[in-house]
Amino acid sequence: MAATYSLCYKKENAHEDSIWTVAWARNEKDHYENIVSGAVDDKVKCWRWQDNKLELQWTFEGHQLGIVSVDINSEGSLAASSSLDSHIRIWDLEFGKQLRSIDAGAVDTWTLAFSPDSKFIATGSHSGAVNLYNVENGNKESTLETHGKFTMSVAYSPDGRYLASGAIDGIVNIFDLQTGKLAHKLEGHAMAVRSLQFSFDSQYLATASDDTHIKLYDIHQASLVATFSGHSSWVLNVNFNPDNKQFVTSSSDKTVKVWDLAKRQCLHTFHDHTDQVWSAVYNDTGNKIVSVADDKNIHIYECPSNI
């Protein structure tokens, strides 16, 4: 029987308040699948996905205000979190302890991302600049100047060549990390770009905006390939399937949507959350999606492969 899209697991009241961010990665050493969530309750939680259920492994405390963003490094061994308290914290997922706390300065960290080699963490700031921090010692290594507005989203290309940032006014900047210079400025959105991500082959960039649209760009041409429409409110997150053929989005309209790149259309819409869905991401094989929302729930969805 062919697999269908379905809600296969729900963790209700996973946090005490709205869940704003989630990441999913497999630990290269022990092959366990970890899901890390961050919420308005100031807590970062690490869950293990095993036997088709979530088991709480660690609750990380230390942030003084809500968690804006979490990411897991490529080895699956470390998580990083950024908070409204202007601190970035790095967590050891194997032993359940904090490794480092980085003070990013007054209200100067937002979305963060590990570099593909796990050596750096990039984070946007209210000044518009993107700051790169050294994971090993916590020092600020460099700053990429956008000369623009508040940077709400950042993403590395998997090949490590580019870093993209999305701003509150809809401008997307793409930096060449080999030169440290701005390579492209994309002006396709009219409102805030809260999320962006490169495809796994580093060929495309997807951007999600408050204007309800998702745009797909060819990186090397800096050209708009397609605009995806279907959400009825802010698009809060975008994430590529590792197969490079699909991506998932989540929205303030309480839905999670799966899209097909080639067909330029929505393949499925999940209506299971009861409030705005802040984040939805794939696992490493692309056959499952985790989503988190203001309803405090974590959902795991089954996705058929090779549609």
Side-chain angles (χ1 to χ4, degrees):
M1 193 176 109
T4 57
Y5 291 99
S6 61
L7 174 65
C8 64
Y9 184 83
K10 181 194 283 194
K11 172 68 77 174
E12 295 188 327
N13 296 310
H15 282 264
E16 292 164 27
D17 209 329
S18 299
I19 310 173
W20 277 356
T21 177
V22 71
W24 190 341
R26 187 186 301 272
N27 188 313
E28 281 184 357
K29 201 159 82 171
D30 59 22
H31 301 296
Y32 283 123
E33 289 190 72
N34 291 317
I35 290 174
V36 174
S37 57
V40 181
D41 62 9
D42 313 347
K43 293 182 178 66
V44 176
K45 293 186 177 185
C46 178
W47 312 81
R48 182 159 294 165
W49 175 251
Q50 198 173 14
D51 303 323
N52 284 319
K53 63 179 188 291
L54 280 183
E55 295 287 348
L56 182 62
Q57 290 296 113
W58 315 108
T59 298
F60 297 121
E61 300 193 25
H63 281 298
Q64 304 301 309
L65 290 166
I67 313 303
V68 173
S69 177
V70 295
D71 195 19
I72 302 174
N73 68 350
S74 56
E75 295 80 18
S77 57
L78 301 178
S81 56
S82 59
S83 162
L84 295 171
D85 66 10
S86 305
H87 282 73
I88 296 167
R89 294 176 190 269
I90 301 172
W91 314 94
D92 183 318
L93 297 182
E94 194 176 352
F95 298 103
K97 63 178 197 280
Q98 178 180 300
L99 293 181
R100 200 154 287 105
S101 175
I102 301 167
D103 185 350
V107 293
D108 237 13
T109 179
W110 203 251
T111 309
L112 56 71
F114 274 104
S115 60
D117 62 8
S118 302
K119 292 179 180 175
F120 300 98
I121 290 171
T123 182
S125 67
H126 282 66
S127 68
V130 177
N131 294 313
L132 307 184
Y133 292 92
N134 186 308
V135 170
E136 197 64 40
N137 58 30
N139 293 337
K140 188 195 288 190
E141 292 287 327
S142 59
T143 298
L144 302 171
E145 291 293 349
T146 66
H147 303 292
K149 300 261 174 60
F150 173 24
T151 295
M152 300 193 78
S153 50
V154 292
Y156 281 93
S157 60
D159 64 8
R161 184 172 175 190
Y162 296 108
L163 185 144
S165 67
I168 198 166
D169 59 358
I171 301 292
V172 172
N173 290 295
I174 300 176
F175 293 93
D176 185 325
L177 292 175
Q178 291 167 329
T179 64
K181 292 189 163 52
L182 184 65
H184 305 297
K185 179 180 276 198
L186 308 173
E187 302 185 11
H189 289 289
M191 296 170 72
V193 175
R194 290 179 189 268
S195 177
L196 35 70
Q197 200 201 10
F198 288 89
S199 57
F200 280 78
D201 59 9
S202 300
Q203 297 299 305
Y204 297 103
L205 178 72
T207 58
S209 172
D210 285 5
D211 63 15
T212 75
H213 304 303
I214 306 102
K215 292 187 181 286
L216 186 70
Y217 293 93
D218 179 304
I219 294 308
H220 303 292
Q221 308 294 326
S223 59
L224 180 64
V225 176
T227 299
F228 295 79
S229 304
H231 282 297
S232 60
S233 186
W234 299 355
V235 189
L236 301 173
N237 195 76
V238 60
N239 187 256
F240 271 96
N241 189 311
D243 69 5
N244 287 317
K245 295 174 182 173
Q246 298 170 13
F247 62 88
V248 63
T249 56
S250 64
S251 170
S252 293
D253 66 13
K254 308 177 190 175
T255 70
V256 172
K257 288 180 179 285
V258 177
W259 307 82
D260 185 288
L261 261 74
K263 295 175 185 169
R264 310 274 194 262
Q265 67 187 42
C266 180
L267 296 175
H268 188 80
T269 303
F270 295 103
H271 297 275
D272 305 278
H273 282 291
T274 59
D275 209 333
Q276 54 187 356
V277 188
W278 281 100
S279 187
V281 298
Y282 283 98
N283 64 351
D284 65 339
T285 57
N287 68 347
K288 289 193 172 57
I289 292 167
V290 61
S291 65
V292 296
D294 275 346
D295 60 15
K296 310 178 199 172
N297 297 342
I298 299 176
H299 291 178
I300 310 280
Y301 305 102
E302 188 82 45
C303 296
S305 55
N306 303 320
I307 293 292

